[in-house]
Amino acid sequence: MKMKCLVIDDEPIARNGIVDFVSKIDFLEVIGTCASALEATSYIQEKDVDLLFLDINMPYLSGLEFLESLDNPPLVVFTTAYSEHALDGYRLQVVDYLLKPITFQRFYQASLKAKQWYEMLHSSKKNQLDPFLYVRQEEGFQKISWIDILYIEGMQNYAKLHFKDKVIVIHQTMISLEETLPKDIFFRIHKSFLVNITHIDSVSGGRLFIKGQELPISRTRREELLKEVVYKNLLSR
């Protein structure tokens, strides 16, 4: 099934460039383009959209303001010439943040990440696993999104859940977490590490990198990681 994409940018050349890139990717299709966020507001109310390629700096209503106005937004990839909004991208949990001029290779990487997020969300619905879970913290319970977990570090009967901006320690074994979380999203790279594959930045030798953090890959799991995760989404050979 192809993901239905809406391209929103006030610059015609930028819109056409994104449309051209999408046409080269077999799991994406453009169902519309908009020259402003105001135009997109009415469009998104009438059509089913899976993914937005959204510019930020637009007249009258910025891409950020537009996204914040949506109650249940689709997946979003920001396409912008300005890097200062990257933190807003993290805050709004966008799939990726592309800086213009955008190369096809970088665009393809963002599209693959969007595809993984899309499949993950649909998999959770199919398997009736709520994207939000609760973990016990002191005398109460804290709500978390397993989608946002970068990786899990095991420590005997405890586990550290690593997020972009925090670490939560819970009383849980790695085995039980591995059985609970979606197997197509969380991959065991080592006896002590379970990673969310949508957040992997790079794999090099016996190391894996997620948001600047270097994690070891065991020799027994490296070939499986390459086969099940890397080679399946390899752009160039």
Side-chain angles (χ1 to χ4, degrees):
M1 183 181 296
K2 292 190 176 186
M3 297 176 65
K4 300 173 183 175
C5 306
L6 178 64
V7 180
I8 309 169
D9 199 306
D10 61 324
E11 299 175 1
I13 293 176
R15 284 199 309 275
N16 294 336
I18 297 295
V19 170
D20 180 57
F21 281 173
V22 170
S23 69
K24 294 175 168 56
I25 300 175
D26 60 4
F27 55 83
L28 299 179
E29 67 172 328
V30 173
I31 61 167
T33 64
C34 296
S36 71
L38 290 173
E39 182 184 347
T41 300
S42 57
Y43 191 100
I44 208 167
Q45 292 172 347
E46 300 169 359
K47 304 278 186 178
D48 290 328
V49 179
D50 300 316
L51 176 62
L52 300 178
F53 288 102
L54 177 62
D55 186 24
I56 293 179
N57 290 74
M58 292 183 287
Y60 307 112
L61 186 68
S62 74
L64 290 174
E65 292 167 338
F66 166 69
L67 183 55
E68 289 174 326
S69 72
L70 299 178
D71 292 329
N72 188 26
L75 296 175
V76 176
V77 172
F78 277 143
T79 57
T80 177
Y82 304 92
S83 61
E84 62 264 29
H85 299 296
L87 288 178
D88 291 303
Y90 285 126
R91 176 175 60 84
L92 295 168
Q93 298 184 341
V94 302
V95 173
D96 211 336
Y97 190 99
L98 300 180
L99 282 175
K100 299 175 181 176
I102 302 168
T103 65
F104 179 74
Q105 182 176 12
R106 186 68 184 87
F107 184 85
Y108 187 72
Q109 289 173 345
S111 299
L112 282 175
K113 191 181 292 186
K115 179 174 179 281
Q116 290 172 337
W117 279 43
Y118 179 78
E119 290 173 346
M120 175 175 62
L121 291 170
H122 281 258
S123 174
S124 69
K125 291 175 183 177
K126 185 167 63 175
N127 297 327
Q128 298 182 331
L129 176 62
D130 197 305
F132 294 101
L133 301 171
Y134 287 87
V135 294
R136 188 182 294 276
Q137 292 287 282
E138 297 178 355
E139 299 300 318
F141 300 90
Q142 183 173 345
K143 185 180 181 181
I144 65 167
S145 168
W146 55 260
I147 296 170
D148 297 328
I149 298 173
L150 302 180
Y151 64 94
I152 300 169
E153 182 180 0
M155 307 177 298
Q156 294 183 342
N157 292 327
Y158 288 85
K160 285 184 179 179
L161 309 183
H162 291 260
F163 296 83
K164 288 174 183 174
D165 56 354
K166 63 186 175 184
V167 176
I168 297 176
V169 180
I170 61 173
H171 187 273
Q172 196 87 355
T173 66
M174 288 286 278
I175 292 175
S176 63
L177 284 169
E178 195 172 9
E179 291 175 348
T180 301
L181 294 167
K183 290 180 173 55
D184 56 335
I185 301 301
F186 286 87
F187 190 93
R188 188 77 167 265
I189 62 168
H190 187 277
K191 65 179 181 180
S192 300
F193 292 101
L194 184 66
V195 302
N196 183 332
I197 66 171
T198 66
H199 293 294
I200 294 174
D201 292 321
S202 64
V203 177
S204 178
R207 292 287 183 267
L208 178 147
F209 296 85
I210 295 181
K211 299 297 178 285
Q213 184 65 45
E214 180 179 327
L215 305 177
I217 308 170
S218 69
R219 282 182 293 178
T220 57
R221 297 299 291 156
R222 184 176 182 277
E223 285 304 316
E224 193 70 16
L225 174 70
L226 293 175
K227 177 183 175 183
E228 295 298 326
V229 179
V230 178
Y231 294 154
K232 276 187 177 180
N233 300 304
L234 191 61
L235 174 60
S236 59
R237 297 184 181 274

